[in-house]
Amino acid sequence: MNLLIREGKDSNMKKIINDPKNVVDEMVDGLVRSYPQYLTKLSDTEAMVRSDQASMQGKVGIVSGGGSGHEPAHAGFVGPGMLSAAVAGQVFTSPTPDQIYAAIKAVDQGKGVFLVVKNYSGDVMNFDMAKDMAELDDIQVKSIVVDDDIAVKDSLYTQGRRGVAGTVFMHKILGAAADQGASLDDLASLAKRVLPKIKTIAVALSAATVPEVGKPGFELADDEIEFGVGIHSEPGYRREKIKPSKQLVQELLGKLDDEGKLQSDHQYAVLVNGMGATPLMDQYVFCHDLLDELALRQIKPAFMKVGNYMTSIDMAGISLTMFEVTDPQWLDYLLYPVKTIAWS
Amino acid sequence: MNLLIREGKDSNMKKIINDPKNVVDEMVDGLVRSYPQYLTKLSDTEAMVRSDQASMQGKVGIVSGGGSGHEPAHAGFVGPGMLSAAVAGQVFTSPTPDQIYAAIKAVDQGKGVFLVVKNYSGDVMNFDMAKDMAELDDIQVKSIVVDDDIAVKDSLYTQGRRGVAGTVFMHKILGAAADQGASLDDLASLAKRVLPKIKTIAVALSAATVPEVGKPGFELADDEIEFGVGIHSEPGYRREKIKPSKQLVQELLGKLDDEGKLQSDHQYAVLVNGMGATPLMDQYVFCHDLLDELALRQIKPAFMKVGNYMTSIDMAGISLTMFEVTDPQWLDYLLYPVKTIAWS
């Protein structure tokens, strides 16, 4: 990832920040000082590790991260039962290999470290380089590249599909398994089985404004929405006039249905995710329509979460993730207790 | 509360909703069906009670609520260790007495019910009427009216100070005490001691748009902010050009300091609350500056939460609550485990 290609019109950026250049530094500092019981920052990095080190003993570490701007991802999911560490890059920019390497080294307990990477070229490359650095240190590392966004193929910043909100389900599943003593090989095989079952698609009502850019990543008219937008304002697949929630649900669910037929005798975990500026009021109305549409297909989610989990700074919009739970143990993993800032 | 008096310019309202008239109905439906393990809706009402009824046995019930538009408040705080029920009115409009009464009746276990009411004339009146109705049923009811907002006196919709985000601390404290068996009288005396220690003040970057109104509650220029705005877009005390986060912190903390001198040898719980459209990025940067300013006063919060707790639909802005913890037991109450959607 890097600075945005398509850009909206100039306007005064209205944000509660200081110098845009220091946003990530100050954000990470504010976060770890607000929640010292959860997060400890590795010095001279933007890598945050679990403060409760004891809970990691004898277990495989789980490390994730990526560009900043997706809060509470990824640091909000660090804690017993979920991630061991999160590495924050600059806004919409991959963290550097040395910072990822620092996190790997800090959480390794001799059992190896598993990396959860979203499919963006920068992230894939930098997490790979960090893996190589760790292996030179005799730390065993395996990884999964999450590509759950079904909207488009080969987007800005990536080849293949993008990794978006469904990544949080991967964090939860692997975190629970690791906490219960799964080996690095177990986790690699689990991640491989889970990956194709997680599918996400989004609709945007506005673009995100990256502080250092100072204007929205693209422009939508007052009455326009865009389907399939990515979490860095990457283009989606269609623009339309704003529609009622019910029709948004039908469009997104229809796309997920086309991708892999939703079946009434299958179990699903659902994540309705706000992109940052969308109020819970809208998210809950969306859920009302979603649950109606699913009921028409005789589907009742086995597990559901609604809220801001993988945001795009101040973008308005919603993503819908359907995770087909083909193994009943995965449901136990989803329900497994955690202690994190953002997943309860 | 009722429809807003000051209004912004006309524009297309961009929301993920259906008919604005059905927003609260559909929102409550979406919420309770997404989280059936937490919430059960009383039929023909917008009152939501704790699904885990067993956890209420033999305990005083705690009921809160108010106009919708403040999500996750209040239903997001219903669950073991916190609220027993939440009643949702129409947007920015008090719930009716009969709905509040239904909630009281549903959660009473013979030990009485305690009401947490934010100081708005409509809420105060309707919760009072519900109390009278319950007492005719021989249900003992006591209540507290929260007025933590120090910005202005005698605002739209209320006499005296408004109840805002600090109300969530009241929910947490009373919920923990009730769960540990406090009597109705204990809770009344606890609430009375806690109330004057909770102080809040906000800054808004934009106004909320009520769906049925269709335009923002007031208008701010692209480079303007307003200090002291209420959670229903009520006027604050000063407009200025947008300032860096550090200066916003200084202004808000200065006002709190004027109100009741912040002391280095006192303990504080802090809530940094996003108003709905403000990304966590901005909230964490604000925390960075806040913790720096507090450190200058040799204050380190004993407890801290950051996120969207008491919102104003899609308003951009932040409120800061300082709760002086004068009794060490209150800290135990804040840390007491809960199972709710929005407080972890």
Side-chain angles (χ1 to χ4, degrees):
Chain A
M1 289 158 289
N2 222 298
L3 288 188
L4 299 167
I5 289 174
R6 53 185 192 152
E7 279 181 5
K9 67 177 175 214
D10 268 304
S11 68
N12 283 306
M13 175 173 55
K14 217 169 189 181
K15 288 180 179 290
I16 301 176
I17 58 172
N18 299 296
D19 186 336
K21 280 198 290 295
N22 301 333
V23 158
V24 172
D25 233 28
E26 293 181 359
M27 172 179 77
V28 168
D29 176 79
L31 175 55
V32 299
R33 284 162 73 201
S34 298
Y35 291 110
Q37 71 275 39
Y38 292 103
L39 298 173
T40 301
K41 185 171 173 294
L42 299 178
S43 48
D44 302 322
T45 73
E46 309 290 2
M48 292 159 273
V49 304
R50 198 187 287 186
S51 293
D52 177 11
Q53 299 273 334
S55 66
M56 296 197 292
Q57 268 175 28
K59 293 167 190 168
V60 175
I62 312 274
V63 173
S64 193
S68 289
H70 307 304
E71 297 69 31
H74 302 80
F77 307 121
V78 169
M82 218 159 160
L83 301 180
S84 312
V87 194
Q90 288 302 302
V91 179
F92 292 178
T93 304
S94 177
T96 54
D98 57 307
Q99 300 220 355
I100 303 165
Y101 165 68
I104 294 172
K105 200 163 171 173
V107 304
D108 178 51
Q109 306 282 316
K111 304 287 178 180
V113 175
F114 195 86
L115 310 180
V116 181
V117 187
K118 299 197 302 304
N119 189 34
Y120 299 100
S121 306
D123 282 336
V124 172
M125 191 174 68
N126 290 354
F127 276 81
D128 254 357
M129 285 176 64
K131 181 170 180 269
D132 292 344
M133 292 163 78
E135 282 168 350
L136 287 175
D137 262 354
D138 288 325
I139 301 174
Q140 276 197 293
V141 181
K142 288 181 184 278
S143 63
I144 188 87
V145 176
V146 181
D147 59 352
D148 56 314
D149 189 346
I150 66 163
V152 295
K153 236 181 130 45
D154 297 335
S155 181
L156 289 177
Y157 320 129
T158 200
Q159 290 190 301
R161 286 173 162 178
R162 304 171 299 219
V164 291
T167 308
V168 180
F169 277 144
M170 186 66 85
H171 295 155
K172 184 68 183 73
I173 295 278
L174 296 177
D179 200 61
Q180 291 174 77
S183 71
L184 189 60
D185 285 337
D186 293 342
L187 292 174
S189 123
L190 174 61
K192 224 165 148 179
R193 286 193 300 133
V194 163
L195 182 64
K197 304 300 180 189
I198 304 178
K199 303 293 176 196
T200 301
I201 189 161
V203 59
L205 279 64
S206 75
T209 296
V210 174
E212 283 207 73
V213 175
K215 52 188 172 182
F218 59 93
E219 201 61 41
L220 281 173
D222 271 359
D223 61 350
E224 249 183 355
I225 58 172
E226 185 168 320
F227 290 111
V229 170
I231 56 174
H232 313 98
S233 297
E234 302 99 319
Y237 62 85
R238 198 169 74 239
R239 281 194 183 194
E240 282 189 7
K241 297 285 174 196
I242 176 95
K243 304 217 153 356
S245 165
K246 191 178 173 60
Q247 289 176 42
L248 300 182
V249 165
Q250 285 168 342
E251 169 71 24
L252 300 184
L253 207 56
K255 284 278 176 192
L256 290 164
D257 217 358
D258 292 346
E259 171 71 20
K261 191 76 194 149
L262 299 169
Q263 310 269 5
S264 62
D265 55 344
H266 291 192
Q267 285 213 303
Y268 296 92
V270 174
L271 177 65
V272 171
N273 173 62
M275 304 303 284
T278 292
L280 283 173
M281 175 180 278
D282 295 32
Q283 297 182 41
Y284 294 147
V285 168
F286 182 92
C287 289
H288 158 83
D289 294 308
L290 173 66
L291 291 164
D292 277 356
E293 283 296 317
L294 288 174
L296 289 178
R297 291 166 165 85
Q298 294 174 287
I299 294 171
K300 194 176 169 186
F303 179 92
M304 192 157 170
K305 282 274 185 191
V306 193
N308 299 347
Y309 290 88
M310 177 76 71
T311 63
S312 181
I313 316 178
D314 51 356
M315 179 186 282
I318 276 184
S319 71
L320 170 61
T321 301
M322 297 286 291
F323 168 26
E324 191 189 342
V325 180
T326 53
D327 183 333
Q329 196 179 23
W330 299 356
L331 202 55
D332 295 337
Y333 288 150
L334 288 172
L335 294 166
Y336 188 78
V338 295
K339 259 197 104 48
T340 71
I341 296 166
W343 185 287
S344 60
Chain B
M1 290 157 289
N2 223 299
L3 289 187
L4 299 167
I5 289 173
R6 53 185 193 152
E7 280 181 2
K9 66 178 176 215
D10 267 304
S11 67
N12 283 305
M13 173 173 55
K14 217 171 190 180
K15 287 181 180 290
I16 301 176
I17 58 171
N18 299 297
D19 186 337
K21 278 199 291 295
N22 301 332
V23 157
V24 172
D25 233 27
E26 294 181 358
M27 174 180 76
V28 168
D29 176 80
L31 175 57
V32 297
R33 285 162 73 202
S34 298
Y35 290 108
Q37 71 275 39
Y38 291 103
L39 298 173
T40 301
K41 185 172 173 293
L42 299 179
S43 46
D44 303 321
T45 73
E46 310 289 3
M48 292 159 272
V49 304
R50 199 188 287 186
S51 293
D52 178 11
Q53 298 275 334
S55 66
M56 295 196 293
Q57 268 175 28
K59 294 168 188 167
V60 175
I62 313 274
V63 173
S64 192
S68 289
H70 307 304
E71 296 69 30
H74 303 81
F77 307 122
V78 170
M82 216 158 161
L83 300 181
S84 312
V87 194
Q90 289 301 302
V91 180
F92 292 177
T93 304
S94 177
T96 55
D98 57 307
Q99 300 222 356
I100 303 165
Y101 164 68
I104 293 172
K105 200 164 172 174
V107 305
D108 177 51
Q109 306 282 317
K111 304 287 179 179
V113 175
F114 195 86
L115 310 180
V116 181
V117 186
K118 300 196 302 303
N119 189 35
Y120 300 100
S121 307
D123 283 337
V124 171
M125 189 174 69
N126 290 355
F127 276 81
D128 254 357
M129 286 176 64
K131 180 169 179 271
D132 292 343
M133 293 164 77
E135 282 167 351
L136 287 175
D137 264 354
D138 288 326
I139 301 173
Q140 276 197 292
V141 181
K142 289 182 184 275
S143 63
I144 188 90
V145 175
V146 181
D147 59 351
D148 56 314
D149 189 346
I150 65 162
V152 294
K153 237 180 130 46
D154 298 333
S155 182
L156 289 178
Y157 320 130
T158 201
Q159 292 190 300
R161 285 172 164 180
R162 304 172 298 220
V164 291
T167 309
V168 181
F169 277 143
M170 186 65 86
H171 295 154
K172 184 68 184 74
I173 294 279
L174 295 178
D179 200 61
Q180 290 173 78
S183 71
L184 189 59
D185 285 337
D186 292 343
L187 292 174
S189 123
L190 174 62
K192 223 166 149 179
R193 286 194 299 134
V194 164
L195 183 65
K197 303 301 179 189
I198 303 178
K199 301 293 176 198
T200 302
I201 190 161
V203 60
L205 279 63
S206 75
T209 295
V210 174
E212 284 207 73
V213 176
K215 52 188 172 181
F218 60 93
E219 201 62 41
L220 282 173
D222 272 0
D223 61 350
E224 249 184 357
I225 58 173
E226 185 168 321
F227 291 111
V229 170
I231 57 173
H232 312 99
S233 297
E234 301 98 320
Y237 62 86
R238 197 169 74 241
R239 282 193 182 193
E240 283 190 5
K241 297 286 176 197
I242 175 95
K243 304 218 151 359
S245 165
K246 192 179 173 61
Q247 289 177 42
L248 299 182
V249 165
Q250 285 167 342
E251 169 71 23
L252 300 185
L253 206 57
K255 285 279 176 190
L256 290 164
D257 216 358
D258 291 347
E259 171 69 21
K261 190 79 193 144
L262 299 168
Q263 309 270 5
S264 62
D265 55 344
H266 291 192
Q267 284 213 305
Y268 296 92
V270 175
L271 176 65
V272 171
N273 174 62
M275 305 302 286
T278 291
L280 283 173
M281 176 181 278
D282 295 32
Q283 297 181 41
Y284 294 146
V285 168
F286 182 92
C287 288
H288 158 83
D289 294 309
L290 172 65
L291 291 164
D292 277 357
E293 283 297 317
L294 288 173
L296 290 178
R297 291 165 165 86
Q298 292 173 289
I299 293 171
K300 194 177 168 181
F303 179 91
M304 192 158 171
K305 283 273 187 192
V306 193
N308 298 347
Y309 289 88
M310 178 74 72
T311 64
S312 181
I313 316 178
D314 52 356
M315 179 187 282
I318 278 183
S319 72
L320 170 62
T321 301
M322 296 286 293
F323 168 26
E324 191 189 343
V325 181
T326 53
D327 182 333
Q329 196 179 23
W330 299 355
L331 202 55
D332 295 337
Y333 289 150
L334 288 172
L335 293 167
Y336 188 77
V338 296
K339 257 195 104 50
T340 72
I341 295 166
W343 185 286
S344 60

